[in-house]
Amino acid sequence: MNGSRDDWKPTASWATLECRARMLAVLRRVFDENGYIEVETPLLSMDVCIDEHLEPFVVAEPGGVERFLQTSPEFAMKRLLAAGADSIYQVTRAFRRDELGQRHNPEFTMVEWYRRDSSYHDQMDFTETLIRAVALAVDPVPAWSDETPFRRLSYDEAFQRALGVEVLARPTSELVALARRELDSIPDGLTEQDRDGWLNLLLAGRVEPTLGRSGPEFLFDYPASQAALARVRCGTIDVAERMELYIDGLEICNGYQELTDADELADRMRKQLQRRLAAGGRRLPVGSRLESAQRAGFPECAGVALGLDRLVMSVLGLPCIQDVLAFPFPRA
């Protein structure tokens, strides 16, 4: 085994790991006080949530059967909701290949929760309560842990603040022109017709760095084309009922008014697979037990997935995810 003499050591300090443990204890307490039940679901499953940009780890069994290390516990937790669960949460490991860097580790800790008869706006309220309680568990507490409410900006409002223009109703040609004006470089291979590609480029390059700088901020009502598994609300401009929380430009969590239509779920998974294959990605199974669960009856609900490692980074003011992990991927 290759490695330096010191690669047996954790990359996080013991003080940081103690603080992380206190934060996790507070997090569980808040869930308990708000009527959530902790659940466990499999890390290895034959089901997989297909996403154009996420690569799962694949485990091959004798006989050629493949199982996937879960990129999130979403599918299994939603099966529990379909079976009658009401308010549930999970603290678990999640796995995503090819995600290694200052803000990413291929194995990370995810906190995910769902509540029946809840809206994504309700979940913004609860997320704020949860984050503030966790922040108060450290010393010194972050400046934003006072009583100032977390700001909420729609996707269009965030672009208006950062760039002076709203974007959801603009044609793709204007987004291309905006990106070429605002950004120093454009990735090779981004076509003039890739609307979401240009929006994501502008979001990452010019909007996200402005989010959460004076205190945590929610970004909500995304383009309908970026719904993932969120419900789309139709109107003058269709939007995905989706929200994300940012602290100091770093995305902390992602939440949805959950899609309940099984046919729409199957259609979105097929479209994601088509995009993956077109980009040279491997084929993944489209059918899932979640689709079967939704056909049996799926409740109105909202859910949130939170990256615990990133939350610890933000609360403690640390720059790298390796600073909050005992043994990141290169030392695992």
Side-chain angles (χ1 to χ4, degrees):
M1 180 179 295
N2 295 324
S4 71
R5 291 185 177 182
D6 290 336
D7 69 359
W8 62 269
K9 295 180 179 179
T11 55
S13 70
W14 185 244
T16 295
L17 295 177
E18 284 184 316
C19 196
R20 178 185 175 116
R22 289 198 303 274
M23 293 166 68
L24 188 54
V26 169
L27 181 144
R28 281 192 161 99
R29 188 195 73 216
V30 173
F31 278 116
D32 182 62
E33 291 172 349
N34 284 272
Y36 285 82
I37 301 298
E38 186 169 8
V39 298
E40 295 178 313
T41 57
L43 293 178
L44 272 174
S45 174
M46 295 180 70
D47 286 349
V48 61
C49 182
I50 303 175
D51 188 294
E52 177 185 359
H53 304 293
L54 296 183
E55 286 295 333
F57 286 92
V58 183
V59 178
E61 297 182 74
V65 176
E66 291 184 336
R67 293 183 187 269
F68 304 91
L69 282 171
Q70 296 300 284
T71 56
S72 97
E74 179 174 8
F75 272 32
M77 292 184 76
K78 287 180 175 178
R79 287 164 59 189
L80 290 175
L81 290 168
D86 181 81
S87 301
I88 55 176
Y89 81 98
Q90 183 167 186
V91 180
T92 188
R93 308 300 275 182
F95 303 85
R96 296 176 183 180
R97 283 186 57 193
D98 306 325
E99 294 198 1
L100 181 62
Q102 186 173 348
R103 298 178 171 187
H104 297 88
N105 196 64
E107 179 183 356
F108 60 100
T109 300
M110 179 173 283
V111 183
E112 191 151 331
W113 66 92
Y114 296 87
R115 183 158 228 160
R116 281 181 179 241
D117 300 320
S118 178
S119 74
Y120 70 126
H121 287 283
D122 294 334
Q123 286 304 323
M124 284 189 256
D125 293 339
F126 177 71
T127 300
E128 180 171 346
T129 297
L130 183 70
I131 299 295
R132 199 183 301 279
V134 168
L136 290 172
V138 305
D139 184 20
V141 299
W144 49 259
S145 62
D146 60 14
E147 296 303 314
T148 304
F150 293 1
R151 187 171 181 178
R152 302 182 186 188
L153 293 170
S154 72
Y155 191 90
D156 256 347
E157 288 171 341
F159 273 82
Q160 176 68 47
R161 186 180 70 179
L163 296 173
V165 295
E166 295 182 346
V167 293
L168 291 183
R170 290 185 178 273
T172 304
S173 60
E174 292 187 18
L175 300 179
V176 173
L178 180 64
R180 295 194 185 283
R181 185 175 73 243
E182 292 288 340
L183 301 172
D184 294 331
S185 62
I186 304 297
D188 295 336
L190 184 57
T191 69
E192 301 278 316
Q193 293 74 40
D194 186 357
R195 180 179 181 81
D196 281 329
W198 292 101
L199 284 172
N200 289 336
L201 190 64
L202 284 163
L203 180 71
R206 293 287 279 109
V207 179
E208 283 186 332
T210 72
L211 295 172
R213 291 299 180 183
S214 59
E217 288 186 314
F218 289 103
L219 184 65
F220 68 96
D221 283 359
Y222 278 64
S225 56
Q226 298 178 23
L229 296 186
R231 187 174 66 188
V232 171
R233 185 177 72 249
C234 298
T236 304
I237 301 174
D238 295 349
V239 295
E241 295 185 325
R242 172 183 170 188
M243 63 83 167
E244 294 185 355
L245 178 68
Y246 287 83
I247 302 176
D248 287 329
L250 181 64
E251 178 205 336
I252 303 298
C253 70
N254 186 20
Y256 305 149
Q257 192 69 45
E258 299 295 342
L259 178 69
T260 59
D261 187 312
D263 290 333
E264 179 66 16
L265 170 68
D267 184 59
R268 292 189 193 181
M269 291 297 97
R270 283 192 294 269
K271 289 177 178 176
Q272 285 292 319
L273 179 60
Q274 290 168 2
R275 295 190 186 107
R276 283 178 57 84
L277 296 176
R282 68 170 290 156
R283 181 176 293 276
L284 297 173
V286 172
S288 68
R289 292 186 177 94
L290 175 58
E291 182 183 338
S292 300
Q294 288 197 331
R295 294 194 186 283
F298 190 73
E300 181 72 21
C301 62
V304 181
L306 180 148
L308 181 68
D309 311 305
R310 286 188 172 193
L311 177 60
V312 177
M313 285 172 59
S314 296
V315 170
L316 298 184
L318 297 171
C320 298
I321 197 169
Q322 290 81 8
D323 294 330
V324 302
L325 300 175
F327 303 111
F329 202 63
R331 296 196 181 190

Coordinates of all heavy atoms in Angstrom, one line a residue, residues 47 49 74-84 114 116 228-231 256-269 286 288-301:
D47 N -32.2 -0.4 -7.1 CA -32.8 0.9 -7.6 C -31.7 1.9 -7.6 O -30.8 1.9 -6.8 CB -33.9 1.4 -6.7 CG -35.2 0.5 -6.9 OD1 -35.3 -0.2 -7.8 OD2 -36.1 0.7 -6.1
C49 N -31.5 6.4 -8.5 CA -32.0 7.6 -9.1 C -31.2 8.1 -10.2 O -30.0 8.4 -10.0 CB -32.1 8.7 -8.0 SG -32.9 10.2 -8.5
E74 N -33.2 8.9 -1.2 CA -34.5 9.4 -1.6 C -35.5 8.3 -2.0 O -36.7 8.3 -1.5 CB -34.3 10.4 -2.8 CG -35.6 11.0 -3.4 CD -35.3 12.0 -4.4 OE1 -34.1 12.2 -4.8 OE2 -36.2 12.7 -4.8
F75 N -35.1 7.4 -2.9 CA -36.1 6.4 -3.4 C -36.6 5.6 -2.3 O -37.8 5.3 -2.2 CB -35.4 5.6 -4.4 CG -35.5 6.1 -5.8 CD1 -35.5 7.5 -6.1 CD2 -35.6 5.3 -6.9 CE1 -35.6 8.0 -7.3 CE2 -35.6 5.8 -8.2 CZ -35.7 7.2 -8.4
A76 N -35.8 5.1 -1.4 CA -36.2 4.2 -0.3 C -37.1 4.9 0.7 O -38.1 4.4 1.2 CB -35.0 3.5 0.4
M77 N -36.7 6.2 1.0 CA -37.5 6.9 2.0 C -38.9 7.2 1.5 O -39.9 7.2 2.2 CB -36.8 8.2 2.4 CG -35.5 7.9 3.2 SD -34.7 9.4 3.8 CE -35.8 9.9 5.2
K78 N -39.0 7.5 0.2 CA -40.3 7.7 -0.4 C -41.1 6.5 -0.5 O -42.4 6.5 -0.4 CB -40.1 8.3 -1.8 CG -39.6 9.8 -1.8 CD -39.5 10.3 -3.2 CE -39.1 11.8 -3.2 NZ -38.9 12.4 -4.5
R79 N -40.5 5.3 -0.6 CA -41.3 4.1 -0.4 C -41.9 3.9 0.9 O -43.0 3.4 1.1 CB -40.4 2.9 -0.8 CG -40.0 2.8 -2.2 CD -38.8 1.9 -2.5 NE -39.0 0.5 -2.0 CZ -38.1 -0.4 -1.9 NH1 -36.8 -0.1 -2.3 NH2 -38.3 -1.6 -1.5
L80 N -41.2 4.4 2.0 CA -41.7 4.4 3.3 C -42.9 5.3 3.4 O -43.9 5.0 4.1 CB -40.7 4.8 4.3 CG -39.5 3.8 4.6 CD1 -38.5 4.4 5.5 CD2 -40.1 2.5 5.2
L81 N -42.9 6.5 2.8 CA -44.0 7.4 2.8 C -45.2 6.8 2.1 O -46.3 6.9 2.6 CB -43.6 8.7 2.1 CG -42.6 9.6 2.8 CD1 -42.1 10.7 1.8 CD2 -43.2 10.2 4.0
A82 N -45.0 6.1 1.0 CA -46.1 5.4 0.3 C -46.7 4.3 1.1 O -47.9 4.0 1.0 CB -45.6 4.9 -1.0
A83 N -45.9 3.8 2.1 CA -46.4 2.7 2.9 C -47.0 3.2 4.2 O -47.5 2.4 5.0 CB -45.2 1.7 3.3
G84 N -47.1 4.5 4.4 CA -47.8 5.1 5.5 C -47.0 5.9 6.5 O -47.5 6.5 7.4
Y114 N -38.5 14.0 5.2 CA -39.8 14.2 4.5 C -40.9 14.4 5.5 O -40.9 13.8 6.5 CB -40.1 13.0 3.6 CG -39.1 12.8 2.5 CD1 -37.9 12.1 2.7 CD2 -39.3 13.4 1.2 CE1 -37.0 11.9 1.7 CE2 -38.3 13.2 0.2 CZ -37.2 12.5 0.5 OH -36.2 12.3 -0.5
R116 N -45.3 14.5 5.4 CA -46.6 14.6 4.7 C -47.3 15.9 4.9 O -47.2 16.5 6.0 CB -47.5 13.4 5.2 CG -47.2 12.0 4.7 CD -48.2 11.1 5.3 NE -48.0 9.7 4.8 CZ -48.9 9.0 4.1 NH1 -50.0 9.6 3.9 NH2 -48.6 7.8 3.7
A228 N -35.8 18.1 -11.5 CA -35.4 16.8 -10.9 C -36.6 16.1 -10.5 O -37.5 15.7 -11.4 CB -34.4 17.1 -9.8
L229 N -36.9 15.8 -9.2 CA -38.1 15.1 -8.8 C -39.0 16.1 -8.0 O -39.8 15.6 -7.1 CB -37.7 13.9 -7.9 CG -37.0 12.8 -8.7 CD1 -36.8 11.6 -7.8 CD2 -37.7 12.4 -10.0
A230 N -39.0 17.4 -8.3 CA -39.9 18.3 -7.8 C -41.1 18.5 -8.6 O -41.1 18.3 -9.8 CB -39.2 19.7 -7.6
R231 N -42.2 19.0 -8.0 CA -43.4 19.3 -8.8 C -43.2 20.6 -9.6 O -42.5 21.5 -9.1 CB -44.6 19.4 -7.8 CG -45.9 19.6 -8.5 CD -47.0 19.6 -7.4 NE -47.0 20.7 -6.5 CZ -47.7 20.9 -5.5 NH1 -48.5 19.9 -5.1 NH2 -47.6 22.0 -4.7
Y256 N -37.6 19.9 -2.2 CA -38.7 19.8 -3.3 C -40.1 19.8 -2.7 O -40.3 19.2 -1.6 CB -38.6 18.6 -4.1 CG -37.3 18.3 -4.8 CD1 -36.9 17.0 -5.0 CD2 -36.4 19.3 -5.2 CE1 -35.7 16.6 -5.7 CE2 -35.2 19.0 -5.9 CZ -34.9 17.6 -6.1 OH -33.7 17.3 -6.7
Q257 N -41.0 20.4 -3.4 CA -42.4 19.9 -3.3 C -42.4 18.7 -4.1 O -42.2 18.7 -5.3 CB -43.4 21.0 -3.8 CG -44.8 20.7 -3.5 CD -45.1 20.9 -2.0 OE1 -44.6 21.8 -1.4 NE2 -45.8 19.9 -1.4
E258 N -42.6 17.5 -3.5 CA -42.3 16.3 -4.2 C -43.3 15.9 -5.3 O -44.5 16.0 -5.2 CB -42.2 15.1 -3.2 CG -41.2 15.3 -2.1 CD -39.8 15.3 -2.6 OE1 -39.5 14.8 -3.7 OE2 -38.9 15.8 -1.9
L259 N -42.7 15.4 -6.4 CA -43.4 14.8 -7.5 C -44.2 13.6 -7.0 O -43.6 12.7 -6.3 CB -42.5 14.4 -8.6 CG -43.1 13.8 -9.8 CD1 -43.9 14.8 -10.6 CD2 -42.0 13.2 -10.7
T260 N -45.5 13.5 -7.3 CA -46.3 12.4 -6.8 C -46.8 11.5 -8.0 O -47.4 10.5 -7.8 CB -47.6 12.9 -6.1 OG1 -48.3 13.8 -6.9 CG2 -47.1 13.7 -4.8
D261 N -46.6 12.0 -9.2 CA -47.2 11.3 -10.4 C -46.2 10.3 -10.9 O -45.1 10.6 -11.3 CB -47.4 12.4 -11.5 CG -48.1 11.8 -12.7 OD1 -47.7 10.7 -13.2 OD2 -49.1 12.4 -13.2
A262 N -46.6 9.0 -10.9 CA -45.7 7.9 -11.3 C -45.3 7.9 -12.8 O -44.2 7.6 -13.1 CB -46.3 6.5 -10.9
D263 N -46.3 8.3 -13.6 CA -46.0 8.4 -15.0 C -45.0 9.5 -15.3 O -44.1 9.3 -16.1 CB -47.3 8.7 -15.8 CG -48.2 7.6 -15.8 OD1 -47.8 6.4 -15.7 OD2 -49.5 7.8 -16.0
E264 N -45.1 10.6 -14.6 CA -44.1 11.7 -14.8 C -42.7 11.3 -14.2 O -41.7 11.6 -14.8 CB -44.6 13.0 -14.0 CG -43.7 14.2 -14.1 CD -43.5 14.7 -15.5 OE1 -44.4 14.4 -16.4 OE2 -42.6 15.5 -15.7
L265 N -42.7 10.5 -13.1 CA -41.4 10.0 -12.6 C -40.8 9.2 -13.7 O -39.6 9.3 -14.0 CB -41.7 9.2 -11.3 CG -40.5 8.4 -10.8 CD1 -39.4 9.3 -10.3 CD2 -40.9 7.4 -9.7
A266 N -41.5 8.2 -14.3 CA -40.9 7.3 -15.3 C -40.4 8.1 -16.5 O -39.4 7.8 -17.0 CB -42.0 6.3 -15.7
D267 N -41.2 9.1 -16.9 CA -40.8 9.9 -18.0 C -39.5 10.7 -17.7 O -38.6 10.8 -18.6 CB -41.9 10.9 -18.4 CG -41.6 11.7 -19.6 OD1 -41.4 11.1 -20.7 OD2 -41.6 12.9 -19.6
R268 N -39.4 11.3 -16.5 CA -38.2 12.1 -16.2 C -37.0 11.2 -16.1 O -35.9 11.5 -16.5 CB -38.4 12.8 -14.9 CG -39.4 13.9 -15.0 CD -39.4 14.8 -13.7 NE -40.6 15.7 -13.7 CZ -40.8 16.5 -12.7 NH1 -40.0 16.7 -11.7 NH2 -41.9 17.3 -12.8
M269 N -37.2 9.9 -15.6 CA -36.0 9.0 -15.5 C -35.6 8.6 -16.9 O -34.4 8.5 -17.2 CB -36.4 7.8 -14.7 CG -36.6 8.0 -13.2 SD -35.1 8.6 -12.3 CE -35.4 10.3 -12.3
V286 N -34.1 2.1 -15.6 CA -35.1 3.1 -15.5 C -36.2 2.7 -14.5 O -36.6 3.6 -13.7 CB -35.7 3.4 -16.9 CG1 -36.9 4.4 -16.7 CG2 -34.7 4.0 -17.8
S288 N -38.1 1.2 -11.2 CA -37.7 1.2 -9.8 C -38.9 0.8 -8.9 O -40.0 0.9 -9.3 CB -37.2 2.6 -9.4 OG -38.2 3.5 -9.4
R289 N -38.6 0.4 -7.7 CA -39.7 0.1 -6.8 C -40.4 1.4 -6.3 O -41.5 1.4 -5.9 CB -39.1 -0.6 -5.6 CG -38.6 -2.0 -5.9 CD -38.2 -2.8 -4.6 NE -37.8 -4.2 -4.9 CZ -36.5 -4.6 -5.1 NH1 -35.6 -3.7 -5.1 NH2 -36.2 -5.8 -5.3
L290 N -39.7 2.5 -6.4 CA -40.4 3.8 -6.2 C -41.5 4.0 -7.1 O -42.6 4.5 -6.7 CB -39.4 5.0 -6.2 CG -40.0 6.4 -6.0 CD1 -40.8 6.5 -4.7 CD2 -39.0 7.5 -6.2
E291 N -41.3 3.7 -8.4 CA -42.4 3.9 -9.4 C -43.5 3.0 -9.0 O -44.7 3.5 -9.0 CB -41.9 3.5 -10.8 CG -42.9 3.7 -11.8 CD -42.5 3.3 -13.2 OE1 -41.2 3.2 -13.5 OE2 -43.3 3.0 -14.1
S292 N -43.3 1.8 -8.6 CA -44.4 0.9 -8.1 C -45.1 1.5 -6.9 O -46.3 1.4 -6.8 CB -43.8 -0.5 -7.8 OG -43.2 -1.1 -8.9
A293 N -44.3 2.0 -6.0 CA -44.9 2.6 -4.8 C -45.7 3.8 -5.1 O -46.8 4.0 -4.5 CB -43.8 3.1 -3.8
Q294 N -45.3 4.6 -6.0 CA -46.1 5.8 -6.4 C -47.4 5.4 -7.1 O -48.4 6.0 -7.0 CB -45.3 6.7 -7.3 CG -44.2 7.5 -6.5 CD -43.7 8.7 -7.3 OE1 -43.7 8.8 -8.5 NE2 -43.3 9.7 -6.5
R295 N -47.3 4.3 -7.9 CA -48.6 3.8 -8.5 C -49.6 3.3 -7.5 O -50.8 3.2 -7.7 CB -48.2 2.8 -9.6 CG -47.4 3.3 -10.7 CD -47.4 2.4 -11.9 NE -46.5 3.0 -12.9 CZ -46.8 4.0 -13.8 NH1 -48.0 4.5 -13.7 NH2 -45.9 4.4 -14.7
A296 N -49.1 2.8 -6.4 CA -49.9 2.3 -5.3 C -50.6 3.5 -4.5 O -51.5 3.3 -3.7 CB -49.1 1.4 -4.3
G297 N -50.0 4.7 -4.7 CA -50.5 5.9 -4.0 C -49.5 6.6 -3.2 O -48.9 6.0 -2.2
F298 N -49.2 7.8 -3.6 CA -48.1 8.5 -2.9 C -48.6 9.8 -2.4 O -49.4 10.6 -3.1 CB -47.0 8.8 -3.9 CG -45.7 9.4 -3.3 CD1 -44.9 8.5 -2.5 CD2 -45.4 10.7 -3.5 CE1 -43.7 9.1 -2.0 CE2 -44.2 11.2 -2.9 CZ -43.4 10.4 -2.1
P299 N -48.3 10.2 -1.1 CA -48.9 11.3 -0.5 C -48.3 12.7 -0.9 O -47.2 12.7 -1.3 CB -48.7 11.1 1.0 CG -47.4 10.4 1.0 CD -47.4 9.5 -0.2
E300 N -49.1 13.7 -0.7 CA -48.6 15.1 -0.9 C -47.5 15.3 0.2 O -47.8 15.1 1.4 CB -49.7 16.1 -0.8 CG -49.3 17.6 -0.9 CD -48.9 17.9 -2.4 OE1 -49.4 17.2 -3.3 OE2 -48.2 18.9 -2.6
C301 N -46.3 15.8 -0.1 CA -45.3 15.9 0.9 C -44.2 16.8 0.3 O -44.1 17.1 -0.9 CB -44.7 14.6 1.3 SG -43.9 13.7 0.0

